[in-house]
Amino acid sequence: MNADMNSGEPQFERIALIGIGLIGSSLAHVIRRRGLARHIAIATRSRATLDRARELNLGDSYHEAATEAARDADLVILCTPVGVYGTIAQDVAPVLKPGAIVSDVGSVKGSVVKQVQPHMRDGVHLVPAHPVAGTEYSGPDAGFATLFVNRWCIVTPPEGAEPGAVDAVVGFWKSCGSNVEIMTAEHHDLVLAITSHIPHLIAYNIVGTAADLESVTESEVIKFSAGGFRDFTRIAASDPTMWRDVFLHNKDAVLETLGRFSEDLSMLQRAIRWGDGDALFDLFTRTRAIRRSIIDIGQETATPNFGRDGEIVTKVDEASK
Amino acid sequence: MNADMNSGEPQFERIALIGIGLIGSSLAHVIRRRGLARHIAIATRSRATLDRARELNLGDSYHEAATEAARDADLVILCTPVGVYGTIAQDVAPVLKPGAIVSDVGSVKGSVVKQVQPHMRDGVHLVPAHPVAGTEYSGPDAGFATLFVNRWCIVTPPEGAEPGAVDAVVGFWKSCGSNVEIMTAEHHDLVLAITSHIPHLIAYNIVGTAADLESVTESEVIKFSAGGFRDFTRIAASDPTMWRDVFLHNKDAVLETLGRFSEDLSMLQRAIRWGDGDALFDLFTRTRAIRRSIIDIGQETATPNFGRDGEIVTKVDEASK
């Protein structure tokens, strides 16, 4: 997939993963499998999570302090919720070796530069990145080596970033199986607001609305969820801390995009109220084409119903044996 | 699964399917497979669809006129978009034989009684039903016999419905593999507004919003859809005519529920604007439990990411051979 894979030489001597949730543990798997570093240093403040990472044999050394993992690392990747980046950057800055690269995997990018850059000394390179990949599961058990394969990773080098450091981060993600796109942090935050942040927000919101209705019981919502609701519950089961931080750290783009969403929804509401079937039909026709395109470029499966019927039927058949 | 399956005697002599899209063709498959009728009569106004149904060998007779299929039928099932029920009922009413049962599969139920009941003579029984099952595909090729297995079917008998006719419809859906729940049409329309209609509406809406942004290109939306957006495109690819009719025919419950959704969304918007992380975190935590319950009762798969990564990785591996 990438020349680095077959060179026999790892890209980095030591990679430090600060935070070992879904993305951190997936990185640990792929770094190990593809030999991208000689040493994987793992840090997390949670003793239980660190113990679990050790049981899973995710790294080569395990640290409660981010500084201990980051010391002597060639590449430090922040894999924690975005809200604690500033604190971590401040902590690890003094121990970073000259030439070290600091990157991350956060779903917002403008805030990363704001939080981390002020702590970086000369000769240390900040190159933020965001692998657009994930599942609804979290924690060190959730990771798997193929999470990034054929997914996009967006790299957002700050102005004046060292080209060699940018190349190293781009090469790293290509070695993980990702396609890489470079853009500004500001544009990233706009793109992700519509493709990820607002979808999560309205998924969380409708699940909350459903739980709070008095006219329909929660057990009815659960029972009859196959009519569409259950599709939303997947992303509404994503990690709460991570998503709280995403919304707090991409406020402007989220509020702007949410305004557009609500405006469009008001138009649909009006069309329903006044019985304007043509307006509804026109929108419902347009939206089909977009799904087709997503399937065509390999970012989605064309299996009806995400293949769920097959799986559930199999389960039923098994149970009736 | 049901005593009828093993009795050797079909439940009905002749079943007429008026409309042969996803649900109609799935019914044709399951009626044939389980021997639920001696004769399946299929009607659709579209010549091309009728020809396709014949090629697929979905029935025993094929008719452009609903009256020809409904004549002598013991059970007539309307499988068209809800908006044309009134016209069909008016057409077929004169040819219905005494004791015939008229049912349907529509996603709204109050409107069915309003549209169909006025045309029904004494001795003909209207028993509306709604199988809460489907995929994003439509047309006679989309159907499959296991669509209804382990899914709920809601039966909404009008006041004073003949118990024997209700039992026959309930038995029919159990023979299709469904669990059956009986409720009023009014309550059905409230339950489905939150579990199905609003989810579809906001999915259609966000796909429309995304397509209309100037700051983010459509190709960027498609490329980076794995961040959450693509989950919404599945249900936003559903049949436009069917869904137009759903919204026009469940106006009151949809507008009421949409009001609640928008109110809750405004609260989230405010929490983001004012940086109220606790409010966000609380909601994001609550919503996880609901998904867990949906998985526990077998209405959803627990496979991470709907099992999509596995599939896409396989596709990539195949391609690289």
Side-chain angles (χ1 to χ4, degrees), chain A residues 132 134-138 144 146 150-152 154 181 183 187 190-191 194-196 198-202 204-216 218 220-241 243-244 247-248 251 254-255 258 260-261 264-265 268-269 272-273 275 277 280-281 283-288 290-291 293-294 297-306 308-309 311-313 316, chain B residues 132 134-138 144 146 150-152 154 181 183 187 190-191 194-196 198-202 204-216 218 220-241 243-244 247-248 251 254-255 258 260-261 264-265 268-269 272-273 275 277 280-281 283-288 290-291 293-294 297-306 308-309 311-313 316:
Chain A
V132 185
T135 76
E136 62 277 28
Y137 292 92
S138 26
F144 53 101
T146 55
N150 201 28
R151 295 277 86 87
W152 286 90
I154 302 175
E181 178 118 339
M183 60 178 75
H187 189 61
L190 279 171
V191 171
I194 184 66
T195 57
S196 178
I198 297 298
H200 276 78
L201 193 72
I202 65 183
Y204 280 123
N205 190 63
I206 195 173
V207 177
T209 303
D212 291 343
L213 292 176
E214 313 79 26
S215 52
V216 178
E218 194 165 309
E220 285 175 323
V221 168
I222 290 164
K223 227 160 150 180
F224 305 116
S225 59
F229 182 78
R230 62 179 176 169
D231 278 24
F232 290 68
T233 62
R234 188 185 78 79
I235 62 177
S238 302
D239 186 61
T241 309
W243 282 97
R244 176 199 62 196
F247 294 113
L248 297 180
K251 188 169 97 167
V254 164
L255 291 177
L258 185 54
R260 294 290 290 259
F261 172 84
D264 293 347
L265 193 60
L268 278 183
Q269 186 171 3
I272 293 170
R273 194 178 298 282
L280 298 174
F281 186 82
L283 173 66
F284 300 172
T285 306
R286 271 208 296 149
T287 48
R288 280 192 145 176
I290 292 188
R291 181 170 178 82
S293 307
I294 293 174
I297 67 160
Q299 295 296 307
E300 177 60 298
T301 162
T303 316
N305 218 0
F306 296 125
R308 284 186 294 211
D309 289 309
E311 158 148 350
I312 290 166
V313 169
V316 170
Chain B
V132 184
T135 76
E136 63 277 27
Y137 291 92
S138 25
F144 54 101
T146 55
N150 199 28
R151 295 276 87 86
W152 285 90
I154 301 175
E181 177 119 339
M183 61 177 76
H187 189 61
L190 278 172
V191 171
I194 185 66
T195 57
S196 179
I198 297 297
H200 276 79
L201 192 73
I202 64 183
Y204 279 123
N205 190 64
I206 196 174
V207 177
T209 302
D212 291 343
L213 291 176
E214 313 80 25
S215 51
V216 178
E218 193 165 311
E220 285 174 322
V221 168
I222 290 164
K223 229 161 145 178
F224 304 116
S225 58
F229 182 78
R230 62 178 177 170
D231 278 24
F232 290 69
T233 62
R234 188 186 78 78
I235 62 177
S238 303
D239 187 61
T241 309
W243 281 97
R244 177 199 62 198
F247 293 113
L248 297 179
K251 188 169 95 168
V254 164
L255 291 178
L258 186 53
R260 294 290 290 257
F261 172 84
D264 292 347
L265 193 59
L268 277 182
Q269 186 170 3
I272 293 169
R273 194 178 298 284
L280 299 174
F281 185 82
L283 173 66
F284 299 173
T285 307
R286 272 208 297 149
T287 49
R288 280 191 144 174
I290 292 188
R291 180 169 179 82
S293 306
I294 294 175
I297 66 161
Q299 296 297 308
E300 177 61 296
T301 163
T303 316
N305 218 0
F306 297 125
R308 284 186 294 211
D309 289 308
E311 159 147 350
I312 290 168
V313 170
V316 170

Side-chain angles (χ1 to χ4, degrees), chain A residues 12 14-17 72-77 100-103 168-169 172:
Chain A
F12 299 95
R14 179 183 174 106
I15 295 182
L17 301 173
D72 292 324
D74 308 280
L75 174 62
V76 177
I77 308 180
I101 299 171
V102 175
S103 190
V169 170
F172 173 77

